[in-house]
Structure formats: structure tokens, C-alpha cells
Amino acid sequence: MCDLLSDEAIEKAFDTTVEGSEGMKRGRAPVTVSYECDYDSEGFPTVSTDLSATRSSESDQEVLDGVFTDRTQEDKVVGAHQAVPGLGTLAGFGRDAVLGKAVNASSLGVVFTVDSERLLLTISVTGKTELEQVRPLAEELLANAKSAME
């Protein structure tokens, strides 16, 4: 997962230096599998990415809404987010559902399909960020993920 996004893209977007990254895989097929990468940089912002398979029982909108839902809360209210046209099948950008309550943190979620498999890409940033900074990262990740999976 960490190979799908260049350090240079993060450094350019946030005027920082990436000092390394750490990837991990969660879950097992045929149950949901998720690949994560945390990028180490100087101070804030911090960037992490997640690519996961989605449940076929959920609609594209439900999958995207999950990015902006604090699942630790009983009411599971979907947090405010803006639509991001032109990325994947459906995309949105807004405050991180959990961290955004305590610190300045945002997420960009992108639902997309490769062959017949629907996936969710999430880029999480802790620290002040704008969509214009994160969108190029998503574009690079999407292109590289599709290329790697085809």
C-alpha cells in the first residue's frame, strides 16, 4: 500500500518531509481486507491511507457515509462532508469522524471499482488541510491502485 503513493506527492502537498512509512494488512479474505499505510513526517500534518474491500450489501452512498460516521457512538450519525466530483464512483471530503472532534483532522473517502470489485480508499490527515491538498494524493493513489490490480 505504501508504494502506491510517492513521498514526493505528500511533501509537495503539505510542504513537509516524509521520513518513512509503515504499512499493514488487516483482515482475511473472503472477509473484508484492508491495507493501511502511515507516513512519518516532521510534525503536522500526518497522513495515513487505507484501501479496503467493501460489503456488497451496502450502497455506494452507505460505504462513503461510513467514512464520516463515528461508529463508537450509539446514534451513528453521518458527519457533514462535501461531495468531490470526478474521483471514483463517489467521493467526499470532511472532518474525520472520530479525531475531528478533538483535533483538526480531515478525511477524503473515494468509492471506486476495479474489474467487478468495489473498493474504498480513505486518506486521513491530522492537522489543517484543504481538499486541494488531498485531491492530488487521491488521484495518484487511484491510478496506481487500478494499475496494480488490473
Side-chain angles (χ1 to χ4, degrees):
M1 179 65 186
C2 295
D3 294 337
L4 298 179
L5 180 61
S6 67
D7 293 349
E8 293 80 19
I10 296 170
E11 291 172 351
K12 181 179 177 184
F14 297 107
D15 192 28
T16 189
T17 301
V18 175
E19 299 170 344
S21 58
E22 182 179 354
M24 101 177 63
K25 175 183 172 185
R26 293 185 184 189
R28 289 191 175 167
V31 182
T32 301
V33 176
S34 175
Y35 298 92
E36 291 182 22
C37 186
D38 295 320
Y39 298 88
D40 298 323
S41 59
E42 298 175 342
F44 286 102
T46 62
V47 177
S48 65
T49 59
D50 182 275
L51 180 64
S52 58
T54 63
R55 294 186 178 111
S56 59
S57 60
E58 295 179 316
S59 70
D60 291 342
Q61 187 64 56
E62 289 171 321
V63 170
L64 182 62
D65 286 349
V67 174
F68 304 101
T69 303
D70 182 352
R71 297 182 191 271
T72 65
Q73 298 298 311
E74 192 172 319
D75 59 9
K76 304 214 182 348
V77 173
V78 178
H81 58 282
Q82 68 184 72
V84 181
L87 282 180
T89 307
L90 192 63
F93 177 76
R95 291 187 67 80
D96 183 280
V98 177
L99 293 177
K101 293 176 182 173
V103 297
N104 203 354
S106 303
S107 294
L108 172 63
V110 182
V111 179
F112 68 106
T113 304
V114 175
D115 293 327
S116 61
E117 186 165 6
R118 183 179 62 187
L119 303 164
L120 174 64
L121 169 66
T122 307
I123 301 174
S124 301
V125 181
T126 304
K128 185 169 173 45
T129 188
E130 302 293 329
L131 174 59
E132 294 76 23
Q133 293 172 288
V134 183
R135 185 181 182 114
L137 305 181
E139 290 169 345
E140 181 176 320
L141 273 163
L142 284 173
N144 291 338
K146 287 179 180 181
S147 177
M149 297 176 80
E150 292 178 335

